Amino acid sequence: MAYIRELLYTIPAILIAITAHEFAHGYVSYRLGDPTPKREGRLTLNPFAHLDFWGTICLLLFRMGWAKPVRINTAYYKNRKKGIILVSLAGPCMNYLVGFLGMLLYGVFYQNGSSIMLWFYYLAVINIGLGTFNLIPLPPLDGSKVLQELIPGAGRFFAKIRRYAPLILVLCLVTGLLWTPINYVNTGILNGMWSLVKKILRIGIFPYRAGSSYL
């Protein structure tokens, strides 16, 4: 029952995280003049247009994963290098934004003592996990696209390993090789967001309810 309850929390949060991530990629590329994401139906909030099988499985099992990459045409960008970096960072940045909104709503319902607060916490954790994971510099993740624009020769290396990259990512997750550094980053981001939310909502500064003790 606990596992089923957890799935009921995580699956909607995963769909939101994936949709927000890929929509952001497509929207930024579209705003830079590229019609490809719109033409291929990726400027949508329908999560099933963005799902990648193995990436979704990893999200369900490890709270980290990836979605189906949005196809872009960099020939439409006025500044190709800048455009690729902006489009690549759009997905993780959107996940961090949704993660912060999740923490903010968690704080709101935390004050009210509502049990729905747990779902917003899952929403924050999954979005932050997806955002951080996608910044890893390994194809097909966004970090690799940023790195190959910043470091000459990185693109050639990624081209050689691209066909094996999803397997490498899955093995790194299964073996736990990535857990320590990613968890360290995610925990730092979550704690930072929670500290900011507490200041915004004045949690711990004013009474939880009239006549009750301070948090």
Side-chain angles (χ1 to χ4, degrees):
M1 286 298 295
Y3 177 72
I4 294 176
R5 184 168 59 250
E6 184 177 1
L7 283 180
L8 292 176
Y9 279 117
T10 57
I11 290 176
I14 286 172
L15 294 178
I16 290 173
I18 288 175
T19 302
H21 184 100
E22 295 304 322
F23 177 82
H25 282 316
Y27 180 76
V28 172
S29 189
Y30 178 72
R31 292 291 295 177
L32 290 173
D34 177 18
T36 310
K38 183 176 182 180
R39 186 172 60 239
E40 297 191 350
R42 300 303 297 276
L43 292 186
T44 176
L45 296 179
N46 177 5
F48 298 103
H50 306 298
L51 294 180
D52 176 89
F53 178 77
W54 287 112
T56 304
I57 294 297
C58 286
L59 270 168
L60 285 169
L61 295 177
F62 308 113
R63 305 295 183 267
M64 293 177 285
W66 60 93
K68 183 170 64 176
V70 171
R71 282 167 48 88
I72 61 174
N73 187 340
T74 60
Y76 289 98
Y77 302 162
K78 293 181 180 179
N79 185 321
R80 182 182 180 278
K81 179 177 180 178
K82 181 180 178 181
I84 291 175
I85 292 175
L86 288 175
V87 171
S88 300
L89 293 178
C93 287
M94 177 62 82
N95 285 131
Y96 288 142
L97 176 60
V98 175
F100 178 74
L101 292 176
M103 287 300 290
L104 185 63
L105 291 170
Y106 169 79
V108 169
F109 288 103
Y110 173 87
Q111 288 181 303
N112 297 326
S114 174
S115 60
I116 198 175
M117 68 181 184
L118 184 60
W119 184 80
F120 288 107
Y121 181 75
Y122 272 92
L123 181 66
V125 169
I126 289 171
N127 270 277
I128 291 168
L130 182 64
T132 301
F133 184 74
N134 273 275
L135 290 176
I136 294 173
L138 186 67
L141 304 180
D142 301 317
S144 67
K145 299 179 179 67
V146 174
L147 191 65
Q148 71 184 15
E149 292 304 314
L150 297 177
I151 300 179
R156 291 191 297 272
F157 172 73
F158 292 143
K160 294 177 182 178
I161 68 168
R162 191 173 303 277
R163 62 183 298 186
Y164 308 107
L167 178 59
I168 294 172
L169 286 171
V170 172
L171 289 175
C172 287
L173 290 172
V174 171
T175 59
L177 185 62
L178 294 174
W179 281 105
T180 299
I182 288 180
N183 282 340
Y184 180 81
V185 173
N186 288 343
T187 299
I189 294 173
L190 277 169
N191 288 341
M193 286 184 177
W194 179 235
S195 295
L196 182 57
V197 166
K198 287 195 293 184
K199 291 180 180 179
I200 293 172
L201 299 178
R202 299 175 62 82
I203 295 175
I205 299 175
F206 59 88
Y208 177 71
R209 290 191 182 90
S212 66
S213 60
Y214 286 85
L215 292 173

